[in-house]
Amino acid sequence: MAEPVALTKKDFTSDQEVRWCPGCGDYSVLTALQLMMPELGVRPENTVFVSGIGCSSRFPYYMNTYGIHSIHGRAPAFATGVAVARPDLDVWVVTGDGDGLSIGGNHLIHALRRNVNFTILLFNNQIYGLTKGQYSPTSEIGKVTKSSPFGSLDYPFNPISVAIGAEATFVARTHDLDRKHMQEVFRRAHEHKGAAFVEIYQNCNVFNDGAFDHITSKDKRADMLVNLRHGEPVRFGAEQEFGVRLNEYGEAVVVNVADVGVDALLVHDEARHDPTVAFALSRLAETPTSPTPMGVLRAVTRPTYEAEVQSQLGAAQANRGPGDLRALLESGGVWDVA
Amino acid sequence: MTDTTAATRRPETLERVVIRFAGDSGDGMQLVGDRFTDVSAAFGNDLATLPNYPAEIRAPAGTIAGVSSFQVHIADFDIVTPGDVPNLLVAMNPAALKANLADLPPGASIIANTDAFETRNLEKAGYQANPLEDDTLAAYTVYPVPMTSMTVEATKGTGAKPRDAERSKNFFALGLISWMYTRPIAGIVTWIDEKYAKNAVVHDANLAALKAGYHFGETAEIFETPFEVAPAALPPGRYRNISGNVALAYGLIAAGQQSKLPILYASYPITPASDILHELSKHKNFGVRTMQAEDEIAAISVAIGGAFAGQLGVTATSGPGVDLKAEALGLAISLELPLILVDVQRGGPSTGLPTKTEQADLLLAMYGRHGEAPLPIVAAYSPSHCFDAAFEGARIALKYRTPVIVLTDGYLANGSEPWLFPDVDQLADISVPFTTELNHLNEDGSTEFWPYVRDETTLARPWAIPGTPGLMHRIGGIEKEDGTGNVNYDPANHELMVHLRAQKIAGIAADIPPVEVDDPTGDAELLVLGWGSTWGAIKAAARRVRANGRSVATANLVHLNPFPTNLGDVVGRYRKVLIPEMNLGQLSKLVRAEFLVDAKSLTKVQGLPFRAAEIEAKILEMIDG
Ligand SMILES: Cc1ncc(C[n+]2csc(CCOP(=O)(O)OP(=O)(O)O)c2C)c(N)n1
Ligand code: SF4
Ligand SMILES: [Mg+2]
């Protein structure tokens, strides 16, 4: 057989016309991923994208891989079925803030705690895009939308906190304006064995334009994005003049490096098994208007669900031999009628 | 002990007997019923059982609400129901007596545990006076037996404390009834040895109680003679006893083997379907993956994901879970992937009667989804038939790439009967090939894979699974263009797709057997049509009617969607049609709408199966009416 030819973006791009609104942040995520897939050494036929319902959930149609555009909120469950049936496949879940955290919150947390080996990309635009602009579980309190003319009353979720609370083994955040950062995070998430949760701040320019401008616009990034690097003190700012340290309550707080000295800063340890510090970091910014952690907050190892399923099957076959239907039917006492 | 009494007491022979064990839910009545059933099965009787227990794990002890019972019908001929009314009631306490008395025909026997008939228990059961001492039970033959105290006495020396020793009284009752019906107790002894191998005290106490009960029957002078129910002349072959849920699990495993596909079974615990999960999770060596999902929606979604990936996806639940799965079922219909959904029906609506039986989900199975969303429905009619129904469901699902609903019910699930199980070599091969080739030729000569190209006869679409090079495709719940499967909102295409999906399901009628009519004299004017677990009661009722020289025809539907092709002819052939159902007339609605026949309904929604006598009375009324 001939050496497989190196794949390109084209190999991961389907023939379907992309139908997001012009200017939507979803495009840049799609491009980032399609460009990166060839570098992962995966094959389109061994890759499955599973999504729920929402603008973001149209994603699988545009990937030249296997794909299921399922029903609202349930993508993690469909993907769990694919992964349990076929641990050999490379499985991705695409969901939105409404899909993954409102109607599908239950499936998301259970997929995370089970540690199913797939990568979950949660497109957080803090709005219901497809249904034309109602507030979502990540919308800031007081948000005025069609369904909340006097401001929304619901306190929002912090998706990263939710994921850490749900026992996720890999939790990261990125945003749609930085292709390199997205690709780096996606690559790490893909390498991770187990459920990898990635929150992507994604701009919906039609119904929630500029939701992340406070932190992601080019002029704000240096002061507002806290890029986490494993093993390094948590620092940010154009001159690296700011840092994060844990106060006496274990809360993460922003400090001036000049005031406290480098040694007082939190050294980021994504592999720390206890989730307390990662959780504290996830609380650094209540809303994406103040310094916000970006990158990998947590990456720990735990056996994957499908590997455990497989090992129980293997053990059963080793102990009892492959199933024998005749013996099964005859189990538990038989008698003969002449 | 020299055994002079037994020798002089020759057993009296009975053709059949119906025994009901009743006690508090903590009294172990289901266990006793199961053991008695097993020894009777091994003895060669035909039998049918009806467990009946409260939804609460421990309803207040001694109350009517806490009564649990197990009815078993044993016979020396082939029987089809657990019996209409008990010939013998074993009442472990006053509440058990009170709750079951109304079912006893005059002349029936009652064995009462007199120790439990004390003031507090009588009060809890709502008795002003002890019914064993006044004339409440004048119409019955009552055998008062102080079971609790005799059990405590018999278990002295086993090390069991008196309060614990009392708990063995169900084995005393089992021993006594085993003697009464000349059952060999060796099988029960072996079972006790195995079950309690790790707990010597409980083992010894139960064994002592069992033997004490048996010997009590033998030596006490209160019973005239034991009875004997000879082995039944069943068709030759190898039998085992089986409950509906276990049969269903075995049917799924068989389907996995015969389709050469691993099973991915996901479900969320719910009575009365949980035992299917329990059973399947024991058989991982068959490559069965079982998963307890976070809810019913996840369970069906996992199963569909598994089907997309090339496995036999299965989920089982009861009514409340079917409600939750509706949206995902619609997706499976749209994706055209094989899937089996088992609905072990229970009393509804809402939580309803979790431990009681009903057949009220037929229209839910038929129509319980938005849009035009047809799917095939297969119904089991007896505990052992659950095996065949599961297997048939899988066959249709795989061949036509469609979700199939398999309907059973609480009575079938927990009831049991002897089963002449199939020879494995005779089971059909139900495997279907995965598609590995491009299937569409473009005008320019290039080839592509189109996921919605259909097989000409079955109208099934190709099943191309991930990992197959070149056949990558994306499918979803949005309407698809015929052939390509691409997202498509075109009005004419939608109309075409709706019709294609409907035609595919309707076409399955050509691939299922015609409905068989049992009309021995050929001159019946009344047809009794049933589906599901009413089969047994209908058959028994028809036997009685015919034994009295009257004619009646019966038929039973296994396939409820599509109907067998001859059903219209069959229902049109009879002057009258009666459809007994444990709902308010769901099949009768379908039959009336489909065939414009004036089918009459006989309905019962009490959480209990029909009695043959109830159907018999209706048949006679209609014949004479
Ligand atoms: C059961 C069900 N309820 C409601 C809807 C309508 N619906 C479709 S997408 C959506 C919200 C999507 O929001 P989000 O997940 O944030 O995705 P976005 O469009 O913002 O990418 C809703 C409510 C549906 N499709 N299914
Ligand atoms: S509505 Fe918003 S999220 Fe949806 S495609 Fe348009 S811009 Fe993107
Ligand atoms: Mg959104």
Side-chain angles (χ1 to χ4, degrees), chain A residues 56 96-99 123-130 136 138 202 204:
Chain A
S56 39
D97 43 321
D99 191 64
F123 289 51
N124 183 7
N125 52 13
Q126 299 190 337
I127 201 81
Y128 284 5
L130 192 70
S136 90
T138 56
Q202 170 247 325
C204 167

Side-chain angles (χ1 to χ4, degrees), chain B residues 226-239:
Chain B
F227 302 100
E228 189 175 62
V229 180
L234 298 172
R238 180 158 283 190
Y239 285 75

Side-chain angles (χ1 to χ4, degrees), chain B residues 466-543:
Chain B
T468 317
L471 305 195
M472 288 80 72
H473 60 281
R474 281 72 43 197
I475 52 179
I478 302 184
E479 187 59 283
K480 288 155 283 284
E481 184 182 39
D482 179 34
T484 66
N486 291 336
V487 170
N488 188 296
Y489 302 107
D490 175 60
N493 176 73
H494 177 56
E495 176 131 32
L496 174 67
M497 292 300 278
V498 168
H499 281 286
L500 278 174
R501 287 186 288 258
Q503 276 166 26
K504 181 176 85 167
I505 304 306
I508 296 170
D511 192 19
I512 60 175
V515 63
E516 275 178 41
V517 181
D518 180 27
D519 185 358
T521 48
D523 62 351
E525 299 203 330
L526 170 68
L527 170 74
V528 186
L529 178 66
W531 70 278
S533 68
T534 52
W535 169 81
I538 292 172
K539 191 161 169 169
R543 280 181 186 172

Side-chain angles (χ1 to χ4, degrees), chain B residues 182-206:
Chain B
T182 47
R183 311 276 95 172
I185 58 169
I188 307 174
V189 173
T190 316
W191 184 86
I192 292 177
D193 288 346
E194 283 168 13
K195 178 82 181 175
Y196 304 106
K198 292 211 181 80
N199 191 335
V201 175
V202 176
H203 169 270
D204 295 354
N206 286 341

Side-chain angles (χ1 to χ4, degrees), chain A residues 16 45 60 63 65-67 69 85-86 106-107 114 305 312 317 320-321 323 326 328-329 331 334-337, chain B residues 41 234 236-240 282-285 291 294-295 302 309 311 425 466-468 473-476 486:
Chain A
Q16 296 299 294
E45 66 265 25
M63 298 295 296
T65 62
Y66 285 88
H69 179 221
R86 297 281 302 280
N106 197 33
H107 309 302
R114 284 193 191 105
Y305 183 71
Q312 280 195 347
Q317 280 168 349
R320 317 227 307 266
R326 190 183 313 268
L328 177 70
L329 296 183
S331 63
V334 298
W335 66 93
D336 292 313
V337 171
Chain B
L234 298 172
R238 180 158 283 190
Y239 285 75
R240 61 167 290 158
K282 293 184 210 159
H283 301 296
K284 294 197 180 350
N285 60 325
M291 182 171 169
E294 58 270 24
D295 60 29
V302 165
Q311 298 200 341
D425 296 333
T468 317
H473 60 281
R474 281 72 43 197
I475 52 179
N486 291 336

Side-chain angles (χ1 to χ4, degrees), chain B residues 233-253:
Chain B
L234 298 172
R238 180 158 283 190
Y239 285 75
R240 61 167 290 158
N241 195 43
I242 195 125
S243 72
N245 271 346
V246 174
L248 196 125
Y250 287 4
L252 292 173
I253 293 174

